[in-house]
Every structure is written in structure tokens, then in C-alpha cells.
Amino acid sequence: MPNIKIFAGNSHPELAQRIAQRLGTEPSKVVLKKFANQETCVEIGESVRGEDVYILQSGCGEVNDHLMEMLIMIHACKIASAERVTAVIPCYPYARQDKKDKSRAPISAKLVANMLSVAGADHIITMDLHASQIQGFFDIPVDNLYAEPAVLKWIKENIENWRECTIVSPDAGGAKRVVSIADRLNVNFALIHKERAVANEVQRMTLVGDVTGRTAIIVDDLADTCGTVVKAAEKLKEAGAKKVYAVMTHGVFSGPALERLMNSCIEAIVVSNTIPQHEKIAVCPKIQVIDISSIVGEAIRRTHNGESISYLLQNIPL
């Protein structure tokens, strides 16, 4: 494919390799290292003059280092006369800090948007933003891809009697996502209302809907410490659910998450590979991974060729 360059940051080189493979190319040469004083050093290893550049970096692991790395790479390509620079961010960093939920709270997701724009990004490709309004923080085009088609495929292929399952949202915020999946599968949905005393800690849960004798599938955009999803699974079991599965787009799994999952009644937790999962699977065999490289790769191909990406919001590319 002419005029296209794919650069990978240190956050997820394996995903970049898969995407490049799908596009029939190789990730372009870049050297990423740190100086003795821990400043990030980026050396772009080939000409990008007049090229369509895609920089892939996910908001995981050492989030701040990876964010800085991406900003420097965007800036380096921009001042090296790249025609267009697209930041491909499968998991958007700071996405949960998207509003002032208490006095003097920062809106860090907006700050990240400003930094990307100032660094020189012309276009953003991301997946399952925590709140789709984050697209409005940018004055440049943002394509928010959905893992939903891949989730539907996994449910149909891996859940026995999936027509008898109930899709569950672990909080009111994810209701729209759950209703969309339940409608496309033509099954029932349920909702769990939770109250938090402090961040990352759930106090009380109430189930709205019926799961008696059915397989419950909890769907959300992000699994972090897994406190919510494990408590939700217990609530569903109490309410008479036969089996409980969890499907999340981004598997962050920080702190005690893996231990909680291993000790929980969840049969399997399914995440996409927007974040690398190899090490976590070794510790927690309940984790299963859906590959979304085909969706992101096809979005890059269509963007490069000036085609519509609407098809990808409902379907998995072949």
C-alpha cells in the first residue's frame, strides 16, 4: 500500500504487527528509548515526507510514559513533513476523567485531547470510548470504533443456548451499550444499579430485571480492579442466574483484579486485545481474548483510501 506508514509505540507492538500484516506491510522503523534522566527519546528511522502516517499507542501499562511517547512521535512526524498524522489509540488514556464529578476535579480526558491536537494529530482512531462525548473534546475528526460486532460473534460461537441468555449492564452508564447488544441478539437485558462511597469501591447494588435459570452476560467497556463486575456476578448468582460471563472491551486488570476474578463465580471474562493480555492470562486462565486487529486495520485502510467506515460499526471485516 503506497504512502502509508505505521509506527508502533512501546505499549502494544504485537497489535501493531497484526494490523500491519493485515495491510500487507511492516511497522515502520522507529527507535524509542530513554535518556539517563528518564526523558523520552524518539528517532523516526525512515522518511515520512508526504506520507500518510498512523501512530499506534494504547493507553495502558505506564500510561504517562506511553502518552508522552505518542505525543513526541506525532510531533516528530509532523515536523518531518508528513502529509497527515493519525493517532490510533485503541484504549484512550484518562477516558474516565471526562467530567467534573466533584468540585475542583480536572477534566483530564479533555486535556489529553488538547495535547494530541497541539502535538499535531490530524485525526484520531479509537475504540469504545468510556463516554462517546469525548469525541466532542476534539476539533479534529475522531472515529470511535465499536467492539460490539466482535462481541456478538463471540457470544454466538461460545455461549450454549445464547438465545436464552440475558445481557446485563453493571451500571446505569452502560445501559445503552447493553440494550444495543440485546436488541441485535433479540434477547432480554437487565440492569444493576450501584452506589459508590468512594472511587473504585462499590457500596450497594440493586438488580432490575429477571435472570432466573438463565445465562447472564455482563457487558461493559472497561475492567479495571474488577470490584464492580465480581460483585455484579455475585448479585446475579443470588438472583438465580445459571452461569455468569463477563465481556469487556478493555481489560486493564489493575491491583487485585486477577485474584478477584479467580475467586469469583464468573465462568470466563472476555476482553479485546486493545491492551496486551499474555502475562495476565498466565495468572488468570479465566481471561479470553477477542482479536480486534481486523477492525482497526480495516479502519486504517478505509481512512487511507478515503472510504466510509460506517460498515465497521455494525460488522466485522472479512
Side-chain angles (χ1 to χ4, degrees), residues 122-299:
D122 299 301
H123 180 203
I124 307 290
I125 295 175
T126 185
M127 182 167 261
D128 274 346
L129 284 169
H130 186 63
S132 52
Q133 294 90 317
I134 290 173
Q135 292 169 88
F137 292 166
F138 291 89
D139 291 325
I140 55 176
V142 178
D143 287 321
N144 182 27
L145 304 171
Y146 300 143
E148 186 181 294
V151 168
L152 292 168
K153 183 170 181 268
W154 186 89
I155 290 172
K156 287 175 181 174
E157 288 175 358
N158 294 277
I159 305 282
E160 288 178 55
N161 302 332
W162 59 266
R163 287 182 175 84
E164 298 300 313
C165 74
T166 300
I167 311 293
V168 183
S169 173
D171 55 24
K176 201 172 170 186
R177 182 183 293 107
V178 161
V179 170
S180 169
I181 290 174
D183 281 353
R184 288 186 65 184
L185 290 172
N186 198 19
V187 297
N188 294 338
F189 70 91
L191 189 75
I192 289 174
H193 174 66
K194 66 181 179 186
E195 290 169 18
R196 288 182 193 271
V198 291
N200 286 32
E201 231 173 88
V202 181
Q203 205 171 20
R204 197 162 63 88
M205 288 191 154
T206 315
L207 175 66
V208 182
D210 181 31
V211 293
T212 313
R214 302 170 79 90
T215 298
I217 304 170
I218 301 168
V219 176
D220 207 357
D221 67 316
L222 196 132
D224 188 1
T225 57
C226 291
T228 301
V229 71
V230 167
K231 276 207 170 80
E234 286 166 8
K235 189 81 190 168
L236 291 165
K237 275 287 192 187
E238 281 170 30
K242 200 164 54 175
K243 284 183 177 177
V244 180
Y245 293 88
V247 182
M248 313 280 168
T249 306
H250 310 296
V252 179
F253 302 130
S254 53
L258 299 178
E259 191 186 331
R260 281 175 177 168
L261 288 172
M262 285 306 289
N263 299 330
S264 74
C265 58
I266 295 171
E267 303 281 326
I269 181 158
V270 184
V271 294
S272 74
N273 59 343
T274 54
I275 294 172
Q277 300 294 348
H278 293 307
E279 291 171 14
K280 290 156 190 169
I281 291 171
V283 179
C284 178
K286 285 186 179 183
I287 297 170
Q288 295 184 27
V289 177
I290 299 172
D291 182 24
I292 48 86
S293 61
S294 62
I295 298 173
V296 179
E298 183 63 10

Side-chain angles (χ1 to χ4, degrees), residues 7-10 29-35 37-45 48 53-57 63-82 85-87 89 112 114-121:
F7 290 99
N10 278 327
K29 295 186 185 75
V30 60
V31 177
L32 302 162
K33 57 187 180 189
K34 285 198 172 180
F35 292 119
N37 66 352
Q38 297 304 298
E39 284 180 4
T40 300
C41 170
V42 170
E43 292 170 12
I44 305 294
V48 294
V53 173
Y54 294 83
I55 294 170
L56 187 127
Q57 186 81 297
V63 177
N64 297 334
D65 278 356
H66 291 153
L67 176 59
M68 197 65 208
E69 204 174 83
M70 176 168 55
L71 295 169
I72 295 171
M73 285 168 83
I74 291 168
H75 176 68
C77 290
K78 201 68 188 170
I79 63 171
S81 303
V85 179
T86 301
I89 315 169
V112 171
N114 289 347
M115 287 159 75
L116 287 163
S117 299
V118 169

